[in-house]
Amino acid sequence: MNQDWILSQQVGRVLTLTLNRPEARNALSTDCLALLVQHLEQADADDGVGCVVLTGSARFFAAGADLRELQQQNVAVTLTDRRPQVWRRFCAFSKPVIAAVNGYALGAGCELALASDIVICGENARFGLPEITLGLMPGAGGTQRLIRCVGKSLAYRMVLSGEVIDARQALVAGLVSEVCVDTLTLEKAQWLAAVIARQAPLALRAAKAALKQAQETTLENGLLAERQLFTVLAGTEDRREGIAAFFDKRSPEFKGR
Amino acid sequence: METPMILTHIESGVLTLTLNRPDRLNSFNDEMHNQLAEALKIAELDDKVRCLLITGAGRGFCAGQDLNDRNVSVDQETPDLGLSVERFYNPLIRRLNAMPKPIVCAVNGVAAGAGAALALACDITIASSSASFIQSFCRLGLVPDSGGSWFLPRLAGRARAMGMALLGDKVSARQALEWGLIWQVVEPEALVGYTRNLARHLATQPTYGLGLIKHAINSSATNTLDQQLDLERDLQRLGGRSADYREGVSAFVAKRQPVFCGK
C-alpha cells in the first residue's frame, strides 16, 4: 500500500484528505479506500479534528474503482470481498465529511461523494455511475443513495444508461449543495468545514446521527430517535455554553463535554 | 504535403488561425474541423499564447458547412446532421466560449450559417466593411446552429434575430455593427493591420484577469443577478491573487507602465 495515495493536511480543526493517485485518475482500489478509512478512523479518535474535507485533483475527484482488481474477481471471490466492510467503516465515521469535487466523480468516486455528508463541486464537475456500460452495476450505495437524493427518474436514468450529469444538473437534483468556480471549490469546502468544526462536537455527532436515521427508518421512529438525541444534549456543558454565549452576544467556547 | 486547411502562426503572443479553403469560401468539412480542433489545442496549452486571432483566407470568412461534404449528401439515406453538430460544431463553440484568453475575429468577407455563428462566438469581432452576415439555414429547412439561435437574440434582440433567422437575408457589416452583433467595422485594406494590432495589444494585457472577465460575462447569460454577484465576488477573489494585479497596482502607484505576465 502506498501511503502517498492519501495526502493529509490539517488546519485548525479541519482535516483535508486528498486522493492522490494521478496515474490511476484517483481510482479507488480497495487498498486506497482502506487507507482513506484508516485516516478517517484516526480522525474520529482525534479530539482536535472537527470536520473532514475529502477532495481529489482538478480533473478527477475519483474516476471509479480499480477495474483490474474487479477483473480478477469471480463470484466466490466477490462474495468474500472485504470491500463492503471498508465502505461500512467509511459510513461509520461519526464526524461531518464534506466532499469537494472537481472534475470527474464516477462509479465508486460518485458513490464516495454520495456517502459523504455534504458535496460542494466546481462548475466543471461531472457525476456518473457508468458501471452498467461495463456489464456490472453500482456496488457501494450507488443504487440506494442516489435515488434518495435525486429521485426516481434521474436515478434510474443515470444507473441504467451510465450517462454522466454536470454540476448544474447535480445542483438542481439535490446531489450537491453548492456549485462554485473550480479553483475555489476546495477553499469553499474548507471554509464551510471550519464553520462546522467550530460547533459543539457532541451536538455535531448527535445531529449527524439523527440525519442518518432519516434514511434508515420510518418518520415516526426517526422523530423518536431525534428526540432522544436532543434530550441527550440537554445534559451537556456545551449546550449551556452555547445558549449563554448567545445571550451574552459572544462566541461560544465549546469543550466537547 | 497537402495544403493545411487551418494555417497557424504565433507571433508576439498572438496565435493567428486562418481558415484556409479559399476556393470553397472556407466552408467546413470534417477534416477542417479536425485541424481547427488541433490548432485550438495550441491555444489552450501554450502559455505563451495570450490572444487568439481568427480570420479567413481569400475573399470569404467562412460559409459554414460545406454542402458538398458527405455529411449533407441527399442521394442517400437521411443524414443525421445532429451528429455533425454534436461532434464538431458544438465542441468548437464550447471551446471558444471556455477559452480563458481573448479571441479576436477578423471577418474579412461573407460569414454565413455556422460561419456567422463562429464570428459571433468570438470575444471581439471586427468586420471589413465589405463583409456580410447571413443566417442561411432557413433556406434549406434548417435551424441556426453552432449557437446561432442563442447569440442572435442576445446580441441583436428578438425582432432582429427573428428577421435574420427566418428571412436569411444578407446583413451588411455596417448593419451588424449598428445592431450590436459586432464590435467594429474597418475598411477592407485596414482589416489585417487593425486586428493584428488589437490582438497584440490584448496579448500584453493581464491575460488571467481577461479570462476571468470572459467567464463572468459568459456566465451572465444564464445567471440571475444574485448568482452573478456571487460569481463576481469569487472571480474578484481570484483576480486579486494574480501577479498581474500586484504589478498593475504597483505600476499605478509608481506612475510607470505596467508589464503584465498574464498570470
Side-chain angles (χ1 to χ4, degrees):
Chain A
M1 200 184 295
N2 185 342
Q3 296 296 322
D4 287 346
W5 284 344
I6 307 291
L7 304 178
S8 160
Q9 186 207 23
Q10 188 168 347
V11 176
R13 295 177 53 74
V14 175
L15 176 71
T16 301
L17 298 176
T18 306
L19 298 170
N20 179 44
R21 291 185 73 201
E23 75 287 353
R25 306 191 301 173
N26 289 341
L28 292 166
S29 64
T30 304
D31 281 344
C32 181
L33 198 62
L35 185 63
L36 174 67
V37 170
Q38 265 182 32
H39 278 276
L40 287 177
E41 283 169 348
Q42 274 172 25
D44 222 349
D46 182 351
D47 289 341
V49 175
C51 185
V52 170
V53 173
L54 211 55
T55 193
S57 67
R59 290 190 54 224
F60 294 99
F61 176 68
D66 197 318
L67 286 183
R68 297 211 187 288
E69 202 176 284
L70 277 175
Q71 203 173 26
Q72 290 157 8
Q73 293 178 343
N74 57 20
V75 174
V77 176
T78 309
L79 266 174
T80 54
D81 194 357
R82 70 188 171 104
R83 206 174 162 85
Q85 195 52 44
V86 180
W87 277 110
R88 222 166 284 139
R89 284 163 59 203
F90 178 89
C91 298
F93 182 58
S94 73
K95 297 173 182 179
V97 185
I98 303 176
V101 177
N102 275 331
Y104 290 96
L106 301 179
C110 185
E111 289 172 310
L112 185 63
L114 287 166
S116 303
D117 300 324
I118 300 172
V119 186
I120 288 179
C121 76
E123 293 165 316
N124 293 309
R126 297 283 184 278
F127 298 85
L129 296 169
E131 285 89 343
I132 200 78
T133 64
L134 302 169
L136 49 137
M137 60 176 280
T143 65
Q144 304 301 304
R145 292 205 176 88
L146 184 69
I147 199 165
R148 282 166 163 82
C149 69
V150 307
K152 180 194 162 199
S153 200
L154 184 58
Y156 270 72
R157 180 177 164 177
M158 287 174 67
V159 171
L160 300 184
S161 74
E163 274 179 15
V164 300
I165 60 170
D166 65 18
R168 247 169 225 276
Q169 286 172 293
L171 181 68
V172 172
L175 176 54
V176 309
S177 69
E178 183 181 352
V179 177
C180 60
V181 177
D182 280 355
T183 30
L184 290 177
T185 310
L186 179 57
E187 217 173 294
K188 292 214 158 180
Q190 288 170 329
W191 176 82
L192 177 63
V195 171
I196 290 172
R198 273 204 299 276
Q199 315 307 319
L202 292 174
L204 283 176
R205 197 187 174 89
K208 174 164 172 170
L211 287 162
K212 271 169 84 173
Q213 281 284 317
Q215 310 263 350
E216 313 278 335
T217 184
T218 61
L219 176 60
E220 190 163 344
N221 287 335
L223 290 170
L224 209 61
E226 181 191 74
R227 192 64 207 175
Q228 279 169 0
L229 288 160
F230 182 85
T231 309
V232 166
L233 291 180
T236 63
E237 270 180 44
D238 282 348
R239 183 180 188 268
R240 282 194 291 280
E241 164 66 6
I243 295 174
F246 176 81
F247 284 122
D248 297 350
K249 297 188 165 89
R250 59 175 173 83
S251 302
E253 274 183 48
F254 294 124
K255 300 202 172 68
R257 291 200 289 264
Chain B
M1 195 181 139
E2 279 181 46
T3 325
M5 296 178 188
I6 301 291
L7 304 176
T8 59
H9 175 71
I10 302 184
E11 196 182 326
S12 312
V14 177
L15 170 66
T16 304
L17 301 182
T18 308
L19 313 178
N20 188 39
R21 295 183 74 214
D23 51 324
R24 308 266 341 139
L25 287 174
N26 304 320
S27 58
F28 278 106
N29 59 21
D30 291 1
E31 177 51 26
M32 181 157 131
H33 271 296
N34 288 333
Q35 291 186 17
L36 181 55
E38 279 305 306
L40 286 175
K41 246 186 231 167
I42 308 173
E44 284 162 350
L45 298 177
D46 190 344
D47 274 356
K48 287 194 290 295
V49 174
R50 288 168 61 184
C51 180
L52 212 63
L53 173 59
I54 300 180
T55 191
R59 64 196 172 87
F61 170 69
C62 175
Q65 172 68 37
D66 188 340
L67 297 183
N68 288 344
D69 205 47
R70 60 185 161 77
N71 278 326
V72 285
S73 64
V74 283
D75 51 344
Q76 304 193 351
E77 266 185 81
T78 324
D80 182 2
L81 298 190
L83 194 65
S84 149
V85 168
E86 175 84 32
R87 192 177 291 162
F88 297 117
Y89 290 98
N90 285 357
L92 168 62
I93 302 299
R94 287 197 176 108
R95 285 174 81 184
L96 295 178
N97 204 52
M99 179 100 53
K101 304 173 181 182
I103 305 175
V104 176
C105 184
V107 186
N108 52 302
V110 68
L118 170 62
L120 302 183
C122 294
D123 303 320
I124 296 193
T125 305
I126 315 278
S128 147
S129 58
S130 65
S132 55
F133 297 82
I134 313 172
Q135 286 299 317
S136 39
F137 298 96
C138 58
R139 300 180 181 191
L140 297 165
L142 298 181
V143 177
D145 64 17
S146 310
S149 69
W150 194 87
F151 292 117
L152 277 180
R154 278 173 174 75
L155 295 171
R158 183 178 183 275
R160 287 160 179 161
M162 280 292 186
M164 281 184 77
L166 294 177
L167 299 172
D169 287 345
K170 191 182 268 196
V171 170
S172 72
R174 300 235 173 261
Q175 188 74 84
L177 177 65
E178 210 171 289
W179 287 355
L181 287 172
I182 59 173
W183 172 240
Q184 281 283 353
V185 173
V186 298
E187 289 313 310
E189 59 278 10
L191 183 72
V192 171
Y194 185 87
T195 50
R196 190 179 52 211
N197 287 342
L198 183 71
R200 282 183 177 179
H201 162 74
L202 282 168
T204 64
Q205 295 302 296
T207 312
Y208 178 71
L210 300 188
L212 298 179
I213 293 175
K214 267 189 79 162
H215 187 140
I217 291 187
N218 287 336
S219 303
S220 77
T222 48
N223 274 352
T224 62
L225 175 60
D226 259 349
Q227 292 168 325
Q228 191 69 11
L229 287 169
D230 285 349
L231 180 66
E232 284 178 0
R233 173 202 59 206
D234 291 345
L235 296 178
Q236 201 70 295
R237 189 167 277 156
L238 295 176
R241 290 175 193 169
S242 67
D244 282 343
Y245 172 66
R246 284 165 183 248
E247 167 63 10
V249 172
S250 57
F252 178 81
V253 171
K255 297 192 168 90
R256 62 172 174 81
Q257 280 294 313
V259 181
F260 296 117
C261 64
K263 304 230 161 134

